[in-house]
Amino acid sequence: MKLADSFRIPGVSIRAIKVWQRNKDVFMKDIKLNFLPPFLEPLLYLMALGFGLGKFVESIDGVPYAEFIAPALIAVSVMYASFFECSYGSYVRMYYQKTFDAIVATPLTIEDVIAGELLWGATRSMINATVMIPVIAIFGLIDIRYSLLIIPFAFLGGLLFAAIGMCFTAVTPNIMSLNYPILLFITPMFLFSGTFFPLSALPLPVQYFAIAFLPLTHVVNVIRSLSFGIVEASLLFDISWVLFVTAILLILSINLMRKRLVI
């Protein structure tokens, strides 16, 4: 595929919502099971790290450790939900279940299918954030008023990680190969994006790298600021970075998947 073809604007129609609806219907069949992880995950992390390890950690920038990591847990859940949905989930639907083949036999195009998958991945992130916010709020660790703004932002952040996951799905030769982006990309973001300690604790070159190339850094910054009830002009940089990179990766992911699926 030529470079220009990789970034051409894909022809996505409103019918992409049908793919989103199909995935939503499947999700709702096991709604209790699907809602359990985002409900239990913050409790486990908060108990083990926030209130356990946090007893041995001094406050960070005047903020108790449990309060510092609580917003990061939401950001991490946003990342994992959409990335795994559009990597492993999409790969299974594409290769093993042959769902994509069945859908493109209808008037929907492959671009519609991938766009619907991306929208559903972003929705999964928004669902996770919506479930986690009241759980964390019970402990008094976030400002519930501003934290409601996290929900629409979680959709945007989810769209970003959904596009990243779909790009890897488009180029991976088999499902086991998806372990490599998790090990080499997702895990470093989980550790070095200001989640469990501030970026300022890292060497300056690593800080610059995290800001320039690790999407989770910006998602954590926005969600943490909203959780603290702090809305500053500096957030415009993080939001603009997320918007710009998301737009590029959405186009790239759809075109890469089209090349893989259309002979």
Side-chain angles (χ1 to χ4, degrees):
M1 177 183 285
K2 296 179 180 179
L3 183 61
D5 293 334
S6 298
F7 293 98
R8 72 175 183 85
I9 304 299
V12 177
S13 72
I14 192 64
R15 289 181 298 226
I17 198 68
K18 295 295 183 180
V19 180
W20 176 92
Q21 186 174 16
R22 179 263 173 201
N23 290 340
K24 183 266 295 180
D25 291 342
V26 174
F27 176 85
M28 294 299 290
K29 288 183 179 180
D30 295 312
I31 187 170
K32 292 182 180 179
L33 181 62
N34 288 322
F35 271 98
L36 192 60
F39 178 80
L40 290 179
E41 184 180 20
L43 291 176
L44 296 175
Y45 273 108
L46 284 175
M47 293 299 179
L49 298 178
F51 301 120
L53 180 63
K55 291 183 178 180
F56 304 95
V57 179
E58 295 182 1
S59 61
I60 299 177
D61 297 329
V63 176
Y65 189 64
E67 189 173 343
F68 179 80
I69 69 168
L73 298 180
I74 300 175
V76 168
S77 183
V78 166
M79 175 180 70
Y80 279 143
S82 53
F83 179 85
F84 280 101
E85 185 66 36
C86 289
S87 54
Y88 284 103
S90 293
Y91 195 95
V92 168
R93 289 188 286 272
M94 171 184 69
Y95 187 80
Y96 295 102
Q97 296 178 344
K98 305 297 182 183
T99 303
F100 290 8
D101 292 342
I103 295 176
V104 296
T106 71
L108 276 73
T109 66
I110 192 60
E111 287 93 343
D112 293 333
V113 174
I114 304 308
E117 288 279 307
L118 293 167
L119 288 173
W120 175 243
T123 302
R124 284 296 306 271
S125 291
M126 187 171 66
I127 291 172
N128 277 25
T130 303
V131 174
M132 292 180 70
I133 287 172
V135 176
I136 294 176
I138 291 174
F139 294 93
L141 300 177
I142 56 177
D143 186 324
I144 192 64
R145 298 167 301 169
Y146 287 94
S147 293
L148 294 178
L149 296 174
I150 293 173
I151 296 175
F153 179 75
F155 184 87
L156 174 60
L159 206 55
L160 170 59
F161 291 112
I164 294 172
M166 194 64 73
C167 284
F168 285 118
T169 300
V171 299
T172 188
N174 55 66
I175 196 168
M176 294 302 297
S177 297
L178 289 172
N179 290 327
Y180 291 109
I182 293 172
L183 175 64
L184 301 175
F185 186 59
I186 297 300
T187 299
M189 277 200 293
F190 176 72
L191 297 173
F192 301 109
S193 295
T195 48
F196 301 111
F197 52 86
L199 283 179
S200 58
L202 297 170
L204 203 57
V206 180
Q207 294 181 41
Y208 290 145
F209 179 85
I211 294 171
F213 299 107
L214 299 184
L216 186 60
T217 301
H218 303 280
V219 176
V220 168
N221 286 345
V222 174
I223 292 180
R224 181 170 283 138
S225 294
L226 293 176
S227 297
F228 292 167
I230 300 173
V231 180
E232 297 178 337
S234 59
L235 288 182
L236 291 176
F237 169 74
D238 294 301
I239 295 173
S240 298
W241 192 99
V242 171
L243 285 169
F244 178 73
V245 175
T246 299
I248 293 176
L249 291 179
L250 284 176
I251 294 172
L252 180 62
S253 63
I254 294 175
N255 287 328
L256 288 175
M257 284 296 289
R258 183 181 182 277
K259 182 179 185 303
R260 173 166 188 156
L261 296 170
V262 177
I263 300 177

